[in-house]
Amino acid sequence: MTLNYGRTLMAIPGPSVIPDRVLAAMHRPAPNIYEGPLIDMTAGIITDLKKVAGTQSEAVIYLGNGHAAWEAAISNTLSRGDHVLIIATGRFADGWAEMATAMGVKVQLLDFGTAADADPDIVEHALRQDSNHRLKAVMLVHTDTASSVKNDIPAIRRALDAAGHPALLMVDCIASFACDEYHMDEWGVDVTVTACQKGLMTPPGMSMLFFNDKAARYRARADLVTSYWDWEKRAKAEIFAHRWAGTAPTHHLYGLREALDMILYEETLPHVWSRHSLFARAIWAAVETWGTSGDFRLNITDPAKRSCAVTAVWTGQGDANRLRNWCENFAGLTLGLGISLTEMDGEPGDNLFRIGHMGHLNVPMILATLGTIDAGLKALDIPHHDGGLTAATRVISQFERPG
């Protein structure tokens, strides 16, 4: 027997829950892609994406997932044989490094493991060692979706400045965009990449890239750039089709327009950030309480260094898989796999899972997620301390709306 009836609750770190309003906005006939309302709507989308990114820089959209934006960032700024410093704090910077290597870029990997953020002092030291300024870019993720660590981007900018190093600062915000606070211009980021399927609450299929004037100058010397990835053609498009190197992702744009309205003009971005912080703290309180007994623990120990979009949780060996399977198949809650960290740390692959808490979420959805996990712990006799759900509700009850 199962209790898995009704609507499945998704608590994976992307694709996130898609609002009914976004789905409804996409449910329409194909529009005119040559002239008319779609062109004006897209201009507004670009303007609003810049507001979420905190930038006055150029913005372009690609048909593709986050890996597409990774490749676009590399191809528009670098040449074969260029050297870059990639800062790894989990799995996804390694993926960016693998892509850069495959494209002929020489990668210096600065690995901080899978349970800590990047140390800016070590980054500064590495940059000072590069006295000839061979490194053309410093690349890292804001939130690593696998480890759930959040890197201090302003501190990395200060490390670059303290070392007097001219390298580009390139940041992957795929997991953190519209979830964690981010200010591209204020923080001195030259290139930001993100995608639509997490904090932007839109089905997978689009990625976004923001670049400033310094990065645009790199484009002039990059020999990796190709016609499709060329951000210059898209940013300076003379006709609408040039913005996409072909046909626009029409229905994704309708969905994204609705999502941006919800984020910027109804809830407002400061409240979006505050809501994500609250729900994250509620989840951390539950996990920390469960972990008072047994093997439950958060992957990132310092709350200031945890993502507000995803939380990685360790369990006893085998318990993560058992719990995920019970939650999904018996109860209708889908939790995230423990991706890559287990193999990287030499741990068994069945003692890590992730809770995604990004995008279109409210109190009942968060408490349903935690309540289902709590029931699963009891049903499977997984050792834990009782009271996790009470700890989460206490955090939520103390919320005060910002501003």
Side-chain angles (χ1 to χ4, degrees):
M1 290 292 292
T2 176
L3 297 179
N4 185 4
Y5 299 95
R7 178 177 290 188
T8 297
L9 179 57
M10 300 295 290
I12 62 174
S16 65
V17 174
I18 303 170
D20 290 341
R21 285 174 52 183
V22 170
L23 293 172
M26 299 173 72
H27 190 71
R28 64 177 69 198
N32 186 342
I33 61 171
Y34 304 108
E35 59 185 4
L38 182 68
I39 286 80
D40 292 336
M41 185 185 75
T42 300
I45 287 173
I46 294 292
T47 297
D48 285 345
L49 286 170
K50 291 181 182 182
K51 291 177 183 177
V52 179
T55 186
Q56 298 296 317
S57 299
E58 296 283 2
V60 294
I61 302 174
Y62 293 94
L63 286 75
N65 57 19
H67 289 65
W70 280 355
E71 184 160 326
I74 294 167
S75 67
N76 279 284
T77 58
L78 300 172
S79 298
R80 292 168 183 81
D82 277 352
H83 292 249
V84 298
L85 179 68
I86 296 187
I87 298 169
T89 53
R91 175 66 188 94
F92 285 87
D94 292 295
W96 211 358
E98 291 161 6
M99 178 179 285
T101 300
M103 296 173 70
V105 175
K106 305 296 183 183
V107 171
Q108 177 182 336
L109 193 67
L110 194 56
D111 193 344
F112 290 92
T114 60
D117 65 332
D119 185 329
D121 292 334
I122 295 175
V123 173
E124 181 184 338
H125 177 74
L127 292 168
R128 289 186 182 278
Q129 296 296 108
D130 182 39
S131 57
N132 293 327
H133 296 165
R134 287 201 309 169
L135 294 170
K136 302 303 180 187
V138 174
M139 302 158 65
L140 75 162
V141 299
H142 188 204
T143 285
D144 189 284
T145 321
S147 67
S148 72
V149 73
K150 178 173 66 177
N151 282 304
D152 187 341
I153 304 302
I156 301 302
R157 176 75 261 173
R158 290 192 294 271
L160 275 156
D161 293 344
H165 203 290
L168 293 174
L169 178 56
M170 299 168 62
V171 179
D172 167 344
C173 284
I174 294 167
S176 60
F177 202 71
C179 300
D180 271 297
E181 193 165 345
Y182 187 75
H183 306 277
M184 178 177 170
D185 292 352
E186 181 182 331
W187 292 356
V189 178
D190 300 302
V191 177
T192 297
V193 301
T194 191
C196 69
Q197 74 272 17
K198 297 180 186 281
L200 291 176
M201 310 182 296
T202 306
M206 292 189 299
S207 58
M208 300 86 182
L209 190 152
F210 307 85
F211 63 95
N212 64 13
D213 290 343
K214 179 180 176 181
R217 291 193 292 273
Y218 272 60
R219 161 65 184 79
R221 58 168 292 279
D223 71 14
L224 285 170
V225 69
T226 59
S227 178
Y228 184 80
W229 297 119
D230 189 352
W231 66 29
E232 191 170 78
K233 289 183 178 180
R234 293 168 180 263
K236 298 179 179 179
E238 295 180 359
I239 63 174
F240 190 63
H242 292 172
R243 189 179 287 279
W244 316 102
T247 305
T250 53
H251 290 67
H252 275 79
L253 291 172
Y254 288 124
L256 181 57
R257 176 65 274 163
E258 191 73 18
L260 287 168
D261 285 346
M262 296 169 69
I263 291 167
L264 290 172
Y265 302 113
E266 296 175 21
E267 186 173 4
T268 73
L269 193 55
H271 191 272
V272 169
W273 290 334
S274 181
R275 174 170 55 85
H276 279 82
S277 174
L278 174 76
F279 290 162
R281 287 184 282 113
I283 289 167
W284 303 339
V287 175
E288 287 171 335
T289 300
W290 289 326
T292 305
S293 304
D295 297 315
F296 249 60
R297 63 180 174 87
L298 294 161
N299 184 52
I300 306 300
T301 57
D302 185 347
K305 298 176 181 180
R306 295 174 188 157
S307 165
C308 288
V310 55
T311 296
V313 182
W314 291 98
T315 70
Q317 186 170 342
D319 288 341
N321 280 355
R322 293 172 60 217
L323 181 61
R324 282 193 313 100
N325 289 334
W326 186 92
C327 287
E328 182 167 4
N329 297 321
F330 180 80
L333 168 70
T334 304
L335 298 169
L337 289 165
I339 151 182
S340 293
L341 294 190
T342 50
E343 293 83 358
M344 293 169 75
D345 283 345
E347 296 278 356
D350 55 5
N351 59 346
L352 181 72
F353 72 95
R354 295 173 300 154
I355 305 170
H357 38 95
M358 53 179 63
H360 187 59
L361 298 174
N362 59 20
V363 172
M365 296 164 82
I366 291 296
L367 293 182
T369 297
L370 295 174
T372 303
I373 293 172
D374 190 68
L377 295 174
K378 293 174 171 59
L380 299 171
D381 291 322
I382 295 174
H384 68 286
H385 186 80
D386 213 359
L389 196 57
T390 299
T393 58
R394 186 175 298 114
V395 170
I396 291 172
S397 70
Q398 297 169 353
F399 175 71
E400 293 184 8
R401 183 183 175 93

